[in-house]
Amino acid sequence: MKKGIRGRIIFILVTVFVSFLFFLPSTPLYSKLPPWWGKYLPNKGITLGLDLQGGMHLVLEVQGEKAVDNTVDRTVGSLKGSLEAKKVAVQSIKREGREILLSFAPESKEAVSKVVDQDYPNFVIKQSGAGEVVLALRETEVKRILDNSTSQALETIRNRIDQFGVSEPLIQKQGANQILVQLPGIKEPQRAIALIGRTALLEFKLLDDENPIARQLPPRVEGDEEAKILQEYQGKIPPTDQILFERVVDSETGKVTKRPYLVKSQAALSGDLLSDARVSIDQFNGKYVAITFDPIGAKLFEKVTEENRRHRLAIVLDNTIYSAPVINEKISGGRAQISGSFTTQQANDLAIVLRAGALPAPVTIIQNVTVGPSLGQDSIEKGLKAGVIGTALVVVFMAFYYRFSGLVADFTLVLNVILLIGALAALNATLTLPGIAGIILTIGMAVDSNVLIFERIREELRAGKPVRLAVNAGYDKAFLTIVDSHVTTLITAFVLFIFGTGPIKGFAVTLSLGVIINLFTSLVGTKVVYDLVINRRKVERLSI
C-alpha cells in the first residue's frame, strides 16, 4: 500500500474515532462509563432543543415606561438628602407625573440650581420661580432609559436562569422591548415563570409608628382585603407615607392573612447595594436569606440603624413586607437577614433573584407556550423515521444504479453522517427539528457529489481510457463543479446564520458543517477506496 493511501486511511479512521468520542456523551452508554472519563475526555454531547425534548417558550415585554418612573422616584428620594447635605432647607418635594416640584427658601435658589447641575445632570430645570423649581427628565435621558431597560432586563433574566440551573437556554432580545426565553427540558415551568418575572426590588423602609393612622390599622386582614384597606385610608395617610402588607402564613392551618403597616414612602436603603444573598437556617430550623451589603451599603446600613434605634425597619421586596424588626442597636458589618415562612425552594429562589439583581422595570408575559415531553418525543421519532427512510432509499438507489461505485458512495454517506454528528457534539450544539432537516439535506447532497464524479468517470470509460486514468480524470473534471456548488451553498448557510434566529441558525449550522464534511468525504473518502482497490489488484473493468 502506498504511503499516500495509507495516510488518508489513517486520517479517516482517526476522524471517525474522534467523532465517536465526542458523540458518546449523547448516548445512554455514557452513564455507564467510569467517573474519570469526564475529566479527560469529552463530557458534553448534543443537546436536544425545545422542539425535541419539550420545555417552555416565553416572550416577555419589558415595561420601559415604568423604568423611567422608577428613575424619577429614586431622584425624589435622594434629592432631599443631597440638598440637606449642602445646607439647603427644603420645604417640600413631591412628584407630579414625571416632574419633580421642589419648594425651598427663596435665597437658596442658586444653591439648588448648583446641586441639580452637579448631581442630577439627567434632569433639567423646566420652570423656576421664587422659592420653587420644577425639574423634568431630559428627553435624551428618557430615550436612554427606554433603550437600556430591555438590555438590562435581559442580562438580569440571564443571570437568574443561569443560577436556576437550566442547560442550553435561549435568551435573546426580540424587537425593541421584548425578550425571547426558551428553556428546554424544564420540569417546573411555573417556578421558572415566577423567578423570571419577579422584579425583586429590595428596599428598607422605616415604619411610621408614631402616626395615629398606624394605630388605627387592623392587626390582620384577609388576603383579598388589601384593596379595601387601601381605599379606606386613601387621603388619610400623609403624602410621605404608604400602606404595605406583610404576608402571614399560619403554621398549623396554612391560612394566609395580611398584616398592614404604615411605612415611609422613601426607602432608607435599597437592595442595589447588595453584594451577596444566600439561604441559611436559624436555631429553630427555619429558613431565612442572609444578605450582605457592599462597602457603601454597609456604611449606609450602619448609619440608618444608628440614627433609628428603637424604630422598626421594614424589609420590603416588590412592595411586600417580609419582616419589620425593631432596631435595638447600631448594626455594623453590613449584614442583615430576610425572615419569613420560607420553604427551602422559596428561600433559594429569593436568594437567586437578590443575587441576580432587580429588573429595571416589570416584565409582562405576552406569550407562554409549554411544549410537553410527549410532543418532543413524537418529534424525535418522526425526525428519525424520516432520516432513516430517506437514507435507506438513497442507499438502495445508489447501489442499484451504480452497483459497486454506488456502494462506495453509500460508504461515504455513512462516513458523512458519522463525522457530522461528531462535529455537532464537539460544538455542544443544540439539535432542533430544523437541524435534523439540515442533516437529511446534507445526506442528499453527499450522493450528489458522487453522482457528478461517477458520470465523469463513465464518460472517460466510454472514451476508452483505462480504469485508473478514467477514475483520476473523473475526479479532476468534477472537482471545480463540486467545489463551486458547495461554496454557493455555504454562502447561503452563512447568510441564514447571520440573519436567522433560533432554529434557523441551527439549520444553518448543520448545513454548513454538512457541506464542509461532504467536500471531504466525496473528494477524499471515495477516492481512497478507488485507489485502494485499483492499487491492490489489476482492475480492467469498473462496476459503475
Side-chain angles (χ1 to χ4, degrees):
M1 187 186 298
K2 291 184 178 179
K3 288 185 178 178
I5 299 175
R6 185 186 301 138
R8 280 180 283 166
I9 292 175
I10 293 174
F11 182 73
I12 290 173
L13 291 176
V14 169
T15 53
V16 169
F17 178 70
V18 172
S19 297
F20 271 117
L21 279 183
F22 277 106
F23 184 61
L24 202 54
S26 308
T27 66
L29 185 63
Y30 183 72
S31 60
K32 300 178 182 178
L33 295 175
W36 56 263
W37 183 280
K39 294 182 181 177
Y40 307 104
L41 294 169
N43 57 9
K44 290 183 179 179
I46 297 174
T47 303
L48 299 182
L50 186 69
D51 51 355
L52 294 182
Q53 65 168 322
M56 192 167 61
H57 171 103
L58 292 174
V59 178
L60 309 169
E61 188 173 74
V62 181
Q63 306 299 310
E65 296 292 334
K66 183 62 180 174
V68 179
D69 292 339
N70 291 341
T71 301
V72 178
D73 281 339
R74 285 196 297 271
T75 303
V76 171
S78 64
L79 187 57
K80 184 177 180 181
S82 299
L83 291 171
E84 288 178 349
K86 300 292 183 182
K87 310 296 183 187
V88 176
V90 179
Q91 295 175 352
S92 70
I93 177 170
K94 60 182 179 180
R95 172 187 167 178
E96 287 192 0
R98 288 184 178 169
E99 296 178 346
I100 300 174
L101 278 60
L102 182 62
S103 299
F104 48 85
E107 60 273 16
S108 302
K109 184 175 180 180
E110 186 177 345
V112 170
S113 299
K114 191 174 180 181
V115 169
V116 172
D117 291 339
Q118 289 181 350
D119 298 344
Y120 301 92
N122 51 344
F123 278 82
V124 61
I125 297 178
K126 186 177 179 181
Q127 293 179 16
S128 178
E132 62 179 20
V133 295
V134 177
L135 305 179
L137 263 177
R138 296 180 187 274
E139 288 300 321
T140 53
E141 182 65 11
V142 172
K143 185 175 183 304
R144 186 193 68 79
I145 294 171
L146 291 175
D147 291 342
N148 289 350
S149 58
T150 305
S151 300
Q152 293 173 8
L154 187 145
E155 287 305 314
T156 302
I157 291 171
R158 188 189 304 280
N159 289 336
R160 292 180 183 180
I161 291 175
D162 286 346
Q163 297 186 42
F164 188 57
V166 179
S167 61
E168 302 294 335
L170 173 65
I171 308 162
Q172 62 185 29
K173 191 175 177 182
Q174 180 173 282
N177 62 342
Q178 294 181 0
I179 297 174
L180 170 66
V181 178
Q182 289 188 344
L183 306 176
I186 191 163
K187 301 292 189 293
E188 301 173 286
Q190 292 305 319
R191 183 186 172 198
I193 290 174
L195 189 71
I196 292 170
R198 199 169 193 172
T199 306
L201 176 61
L202 179 67
E203 297 171 300
F204 294 80
K205 294 186 173 183
L206 290 165
L207 270 63
D208 193 4
D209 287 333
E210 297 176 357
N211 192 299
I213 298 294
R215 292 188 287 274
Q216 296 174 15
L217 291 173
R220 298 273 180 94
V221 297
E222 298 296 325
D224 56 353
E225 291 182 341
E226 286 185 28
K228 180 182 175 183
I229 296 297
L230 292 175
Q231 186 176 9
E232 181 180 347
Y233 286 91
Q234 187 178 17
K236 297 180 181 177
I237 61 176
T240 55
D241 290 356
Q242 64 181 142
I243 295 176
L244 295 178
F245 296 84
E246 179 185 7
R247 186 172 179 271
V248 182
V249 181
D250 190 299
S251 58
E252 296 182 357
T253 63
K255 183 181 178 182
V256 177
T257 55
K258 299 292 181 68
R259 182 181 297 154
Y261 288 103
L262 185 66
V263 302
K264 296 288 185 183
S265 301
Q266 182 180 342
L269 193 63
S270 63
D272 57 350
L273 300 173
L274 286 184
S275 63
D276 191 21
R278 58 186 64 243
V279 179
S280 297
I281 300 175
D282 60 22
Q283 56 182 334
F284 304 107
N285 205 30
K287 312 295 186 303
Y288 69 91
V289 178
I291 57 177
T292 306
F293 291 101
D294 62 15
I296 296 176
K299 288 182 181 177
L300 286 174
F301 189 61
E302 181 179 335
K303 181 182 177 185
V304 169
T305 53
E306 182 180 17
E307 294 176 350
N308 295 281
R309 292 176 184 173
R310 291 180 294 282
H311 286 81
R312 288 200 290 174
L313 184 67
I315 301 175
V316 184
L317 182 68
D318 292 344
N319 284 330
T320 297
I321 293 178
Y322 276 76
S323 56
V326 176
I327 303 172
N328 293 319
E329 58 184 4
K330 180 177 74 175
I331 303 175
S332 305
R335 296 181 184 277
Q337 66 182 53
I338 303 176
S339 304
S341 303
F342 296 129
T343 63
T344 302
Q345 178 180 303
Q346 290 170 336
N348 280 329
D349 289 351
L350 178 58
I352 286 174
V353 297
L354 290 177
R355 282 199 300 269
L359 289 172
V363 294
T364 304
I365 297 175
I366 60 175
Q367 188 178 12
N368 178 6
V369 179
T370 301
V371 181
S374 58
L375 180 58
Q377 186 60 38
D378 184 54
S379 302
I380 294 173
E381 291 173 358
K382 287 183 178 177
L384 290 176
K385 187 177 179 181
V388 169
I389 292 175
T391 305
L393 290 176
V394 171
V395 167
V396 171
F397 173 79
M398 292 300 290
F400 174 77
Y401 193 74
Y402 290 105
R403 289 168 286 183
F404 169 76
S405 296
L407 294 176
V408 174
D410 291 339
F411 159 72
T412 57
L413 188 147
V414 175
L415 183 62
N416 193 309
V417 173
I418 293 172
L419 297 185
L420 178 55
I421 290 176
L424 290 173
L427 294 174
N428 298 326
T430 299
L431 187 62
T432 60
L433 276 180
I436 292 178
I439 294 174
I440 296 174
L441 179 59
T442 57
I443 290 174
M445 292 176 63
V447 294
D448 275 352
S449 304
N450 295 127
V451 168
L452 285 172
I453 295 170
F454 294 165
E455 292 302 322
R456 298 292 85 76
I457 293 175
R458 276 182 168 179
E459 290 175 0
E460 298 300 321
L461 290 174
R462 282 196 289 267
K465 283 188 177 181
V467 171
R468 180 192 300 275
L469 295 179
V471 169
N472 290 337
Y475 274 91
D476 290 342
K477 289 185 177 179
F479 179 79
L480 287 179
T481 306
I482 293 173
V483 171
D484 285 348
S485 65
H486 282 67
V487 167
T488 51
T489 307
L490 202 58
I491 292 172
T492 306
F494 179 73
V495 173
L496 279 177
F497 184 81
I498 294 297
F499 295 102
T501 59
I504 302 299
K505 282 193 173 185
F507 175 78
V509 169
T510 53
L511 183 60
S512 302
L513 290 173
V515 167
I516 295 170
I517 292 170
N518 188 31
L519 268 176
F520 171 74
T521 55
S522 61
L523 297 176
V524 179
T526 53
K527 186 66 166 51
V528 77
V529 176
Y530 280 126
D531 289 344
L532 186 63
V533 173
I534 293 171
N535 280 281
R536 288 180 69 87
R537 58 180 178 173
K538 188 177 180 181
V539 178
E540 295 183 351
R541 294 187 60 188
L542 182 63
S543 176
I544 189 169

